[in-house]
Amino acid sequence: MLHVLTRRVYRRLFLAQVVALAGTGLATVALGLLAYDLAGVDAGQVLGTALAVKMVAYVVVAPLAAAAVARLPRRAVMVGSDVVRLLVAGSLPFVGEVWQVYVLVFVLQAASATFTPTFQSVIPDVLDDEEEYTAALSLSRLAYDLEAVLAPVLAAALLLVVPSAALFLGTAVGFGASALLVAATVLPRRGAENAGDGPRMPFGERVRHGTRLVVRTPALRPVLALNMAVAAAGAFVIVQTVVVARSTFGQGEAVVALLLAANGVGSMAAAVALPRVLRRRPERWVMVGGAGLLTAATAVVPLALAAPSAGVGLTAVAGLWALVGLGWASVETPVGRIVRRTIPAADRPAVFAAQFALLHACWLVTYPLAGWLGTAVGLPATALVLTALAASATTAAALLWPRGRTPAAAGPARAEPPVRS
């Protein structure tokens, strides 16, 4: 899998992603501390609202941004997004009101909703070999998981020597480094800059173009359902882990971190194995199987919560969280392969933006559902409701999946020669 890092252009882009994610991880920790400084015991409410603002920014901004920047060079778009994120991160230490946090979080995530789909659309043009592209998808997944696992450790180490507000400066440094790496990279010309109708469409049409392609492409319809399966199981893990550890089993904060780390370990295991697995098995087998695995793991949660001792229960929950992570990565990682194979290069930025927005629309539904149900009916019943939602989505994906080999996209199979953009 690591052999793909010998490709200089991809290596620089991957390093840009890693340093930006490191900055994002520091910001996550710093936001929690800032929320407590501003709101005290109501910090959870502030963070919950900030999370909702983040999802709204992703859902609303991604397709709008893809349409707005369709005529612009992708390198300039990514560098500009990083500069905006740098400025926002540098401003966060100086806020004094909760509403200012919400505004800055929205701007920060709007920039991320512009950067991420653009970044995703570049990689298939940089790596025209499917095995190399699959390795890149797995590395990207590993980067996200390592950010979730290691960023809190890095933040804790920094907090030994600097005040919490300085973590935002670390975030700004990460985004600045990402901008410099992207600016120093020669990107391939995208098809949309040479041919295709996407950039020439009216703005309103461009906004809808990616979503329309996702819905009309048979190979991508199952992904819409699988997005909901991932969000249903993932929301329970993310929202209720703290309740499981602290209230159900009476453990401390360290156990919360360990349970979430177990989820990350499962996801990383899948990312490492997928390049080899996808050489032998089609995406349908991997993705629907992954959704089935995370559904089954969520279904067993009530049994783990009823364990006779905290040790047994926590061990079972950690194992289930790892299985959810394994299934989660198995569903999400191969999506780029399907987009690359079925969507012409000119339309990929719009489709990646649409997939980004549609996935987070599912999270926008399941995050509050997991939270509200947990309070209203308890954790076991909440797990079963989300299991039913994930099972329904998985079944729909299996039924929607087209039979036979996924057709290739129209247009040239290989990327255009590199040019300065």
Side-chain angles (χ1 to χ4, degrees), residues 32-97:
L33 298 173
L34 176 62
Y36 190 82
D37 288 341
L38 294 176
V41 294
D42 294 326
Q45 180 181 346
V46 173
L47 283 176
T49 304
L51 186 62
V53 168
K54 172 182 175 179
M55 291 298 111
V56 170
Y58 282 174
V59 172
V60 174
V61 173
L64 291 173
V69 304
R71 293 185 175 93
L72 301 179
R74 291 178 293 184
R75 185 171 60 179
V77 171
M78 290 191 288
V79 171
S81 299
D82 272 335
V83 170
V84 171
R85 296 195 291 185
L86 184 158
L87 293 174
V88 172
S91 301
L92 278 166
F94 305 104
V95 303
E97 301 290 339

Side-chain angles (χ1 to χ4, degrees), residues 336-361:
R337 285 167 51 105
I338 300 175
V339 173
R340 179 182 181 274
R341 190 182 305 132
T342 58
I343 300 297
D347 293 321
R348 284 178 196 152
V351 169
F352 277 115
Q355 162 62 10
F356 184 86
L358 293 168
L359 171 61
H360 287 93

Side-chain angles (χ1 to χ4, degrees), residues 170-411:
T171 299
V173 169
F175 292 141
S178 173
L180 291 174
L181 284 164
V182 174
T185 303
V186 180
L187 300 183
R189 189 193 304 273
R190 63 178 171 186
E193 291 165 350
N194 298 315
D197 295 327
R200 300 188 181 95
M201 294 177 181
F203 180 78
E205 286 296 310
R206 295 203 304 271
V207 171
R208 296 187 292 271
H209 184 56
T211 302
R212 189 163 53 238
L213 282 173
V214 171
V215 173
R216 291 181 178 179
T217 303
L220 290 176
R221 289 175 193 154
V223 175
L224 296 173
L226 292 174
N227 286 343
M228 182 57 74
V230 165
F236 188 89
V237 170
I238 292 173
V239 173
Q240 296 296 354
T241 292
V242 64
V243 180
V244 169
R246 301 300 303 274
S247 297
T248 303
F249 294 114
Q251 303 299 305
E253 294 178 350
V255 174
V256 178
L258 289 174
L259 290 178
L260 291 174
N263 180 255
V265 168
S267 181
M268 286 188 284
V272 170
L274 280 173
R276 186 179 302 108
V277 172
L278 286 167
R279 283 199 293 268
R280 297 176 173 85
R281 298 287 186 175
E283 286 94 355
R284 181 180 190 273
W285 188 92
V286 173
M287 296 172 70
V288 175
L293 178 63
L294 62 85
T295 300
T298 309
V300 181
V301 166
L303 296 178
L305 298 180
S309 68
V312 172
L314 288 169
T315 301
V317 169
L320 293 175
W321 270 208
L323 292 177
V324 170
L326 186 67
W328 187 340
S330 297
V331 172
E332 287 195 347
T333 304
V335 172
R337 285 167 51 105
I338 300 175
V339 173
R340 179 182 181 274
R341 190 182 305 132
T342 58
I343 300 297
D347 293 321
R348 284 178 196 152
V351 169
F352 277 115
Q355 162 62 10
F356 184 86
L358 293 168
L359 171 61
H360 287 93
C362 295
W363 287 99
L364 189 58
V365 172
T366 58
Y367 271 143
L369 184 63
W372 296 336
L373 284 176
T375 301
V377 301
L379 296 187
T382 300
L384 293 178
V385 170
L386 292 172
T387 296
L389 181 57
S392 300
T394 302
T395 302
L399 295 175
L400 286 169
W401 209 287
R403 302 299 174 181
R405 179 169 172 81
T406 304

